[in-house]
């Protein structure tokens, strides 16, 4: 039944394209808001701090971010397609995403958690993930020397990325998830414990964790009350969203 075959193909193509577009747009927004735009705002000679409207620049940054993300995804898949299936690549990305879990959960249930600990944990976890999954897959594809996985870096089998520190009981995915999360949790806990939290971080901890503990002070929002006119709020939103969208959001 050719018609049914074409219909199934189009449905699969649409589902796959939808997931790719959704993920890429979300990543582009995060990269723009948390990486590119803050860096550009700190470059004084660009003069972005003095501009009243940054909406066009933000839109172009998101377009550039999308192009970079799609190119990197294509390049990685094209490099290792002969060694890894699409499902395997998806699982590799899931191991990366769980590096966000300690900071997210810890921030909700532990008052001692702070920004320094969260960053240290995520950076450490991502580095271990990079060492135990993406880099070995590149070695299997010939991009990196085969000696990286056979016998291991510097000829040390104990550093074998798929069996780190001689752990043979776990498969490659479980090995990466175990060691990356272990490093993530240790750094998150130790750095948060031995570094000082800022006043704002302490207040946010009281608000989020205190609600779960039934504290009345957590229900108070006095610290967040500010005196700002409609025009001031409109001016702030206009800088990032444009006047039309800003007015629509405030009058909705």
């Amino acid at each position: 039944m050719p018609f049914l075959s074409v219909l199934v193909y189009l449905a699969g193509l649409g589902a796959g394209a939808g997931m790719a577009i959704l993920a890429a747009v979300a990543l582009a927004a995060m990269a723009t808001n948390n990486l590119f735009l803050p860096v550009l705002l700190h470059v004084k000679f660009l003069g972005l701090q003095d501009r009243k409207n940054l909406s066009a620049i933000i839109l172009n940054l998101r377009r550039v971010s999308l192009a970079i993300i799609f190119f990197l995804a294509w390049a990685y898949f094209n490099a290792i397609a002969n060694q890894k299936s699409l499902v395997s690549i998806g699982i590799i990305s899931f191991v990366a995403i769980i590096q966000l879990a300690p900071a997210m959960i810890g921030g909700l249930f532990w008052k001692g958690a702070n920004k320094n600990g969260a960053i240290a944990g995520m950076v450490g976890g991502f580095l271990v993930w990079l060492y135990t999954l993406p880099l070995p897959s590149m070695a299997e594809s010939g991009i990196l020397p085969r000696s990286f996985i056979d016998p291991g870096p510097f000829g040390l089998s104990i550093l074998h990325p798929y069996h780190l520190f001689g752990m043979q009981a776990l498969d490659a995915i479980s090995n990466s998830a175990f060691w990356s999360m272990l490093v993530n949790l240790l750094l998150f806990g130790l750095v948060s414990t031995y570094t000082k939290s800022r006043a704002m971080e302490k207040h946010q901890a009281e608000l989020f964790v205190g609600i779960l503990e039934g504290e009345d002070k957590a229900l108070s929002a006095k610290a967040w009350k500010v005196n700002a006119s409609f025009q001031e709020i409109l001016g702030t939103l206009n800088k990032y969203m444009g006047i039309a969208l800003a007015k629509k959001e405030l009058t909705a």
Side-chain angles (χ1 to χ4, degrees):
M1 299 179 65
F3 172 76
L4 183 58
S5 299
V6 171
L7 187 63
V8 171
Y9 170 77
L10 291 176
L13 179 63
M19 290 180 64
I21 292 171
L22 179 63
V25 169
L27 285 173
M30 290 188 286
T32 299
N33 297 339
N34 299 290
L35 293 177
F36 300 138
L37 187 60
V39 171
L40 293 178
L41 288 174
H42 281 84
V43 179
K44 293 184 179 180
F45 74 86
L46 294 177
L48 296 183
Q49 290 280 12
D50 301 325
R51 294 198 181 188
K52 294 183 178 181
N53 192 335
L54 295 175
S55 58
I57 293 176
I58 293 174
L59 181 60
N60 289 327
L61 281 175
R62 289 193 177 181
R63 289 169 175 165
V64 172
S65 300
L66 274 171
I68 293 173
I69 289 169
F70 275 121
F71 172 76
L72 291 176
W74 171 83
Y76 179 73
F77 174 77
N78 190 58
I80 69 167
N82 294 329
Q83 301 294 331
K84 299 287 185 181
S85 65
L86 187 60
V87 173
S88 299
I89 297 174
I91 294 176
I92 291 175
S93 67
F94 283 133
V95 177
I97 289 298
I98 63 173
Q99 303 308 316
L100 305 177
M104 292 175 60
I105 298 174
L108 292 174
F109 295 95
W110 181 33
K111 290 184 179 180
N114 61 27
K115 176 183 176 181
N116 294 331
I119 292 176
M122 286 188 287
V123 170
F126 275 118
L127 288 176
V128 175
W129 165 80
L130 180 67
Y131 177 80
T132 54
L133 281 180
L135 292 183
S137 66
M138 293 180 184
E140 291 176 342
S141 300
I143 300 175
L144 296 178
R146 181 72 186 184
S147 59
F148 186 80
I149 54 176
D150 186 19
F154 310 109
L156 299 174
S157 60
I158 196 172
L159 297 180
H160 194 297
Y162 287 155
H163 305 290
L164 201 56
F165 301 121
M167 184 174 289
Q168 302 287 337
L170 301 177
D171 60 80
I173 299 296
S174 301
N175 171 77
S176 178
F178 173 78
W179 288 111
S180 61
M181 289 299 291
L182 179 63
V183 170
N184 193 329
L185 288 168
L186 286 175
L187 288 175
F188 177 53
L190 291 174
V191 175
S192 293
T193 301
Y194 292 103
T195 59
K196 186 177 181 180
S197 300
R198 295 180 302 172
M200 180 60 71
E201 291 177 313
K202 292 180 179 179
H203 180 69
Q204 288 175 334
E206 293 292 338
L207 286 174
F208 284 95
V209 183
I211 286 179
L212 298 175
E213 296 177 353
E215 297 179 6
D216 294 336
K217 59 184 178 181
L219 301 177
S220 175
K222 292 182 179 179
W224 301 99
K225 289 183 177 180
V226 294
N227 294 319
S229 66
F230 177 85
Q231 291 301 324
E232 289 173 329
I233 298 174
L234 180 62
T236 300
L237 292 179
N238 172 46
K239 186 173 184 179
Y240 300 99
M241 304 171 62
I243 189 64
L245 186 57
K247 286 183 176 180
K248 179 181 178 181
E249 291 296 326
L250 289 176
T251 56

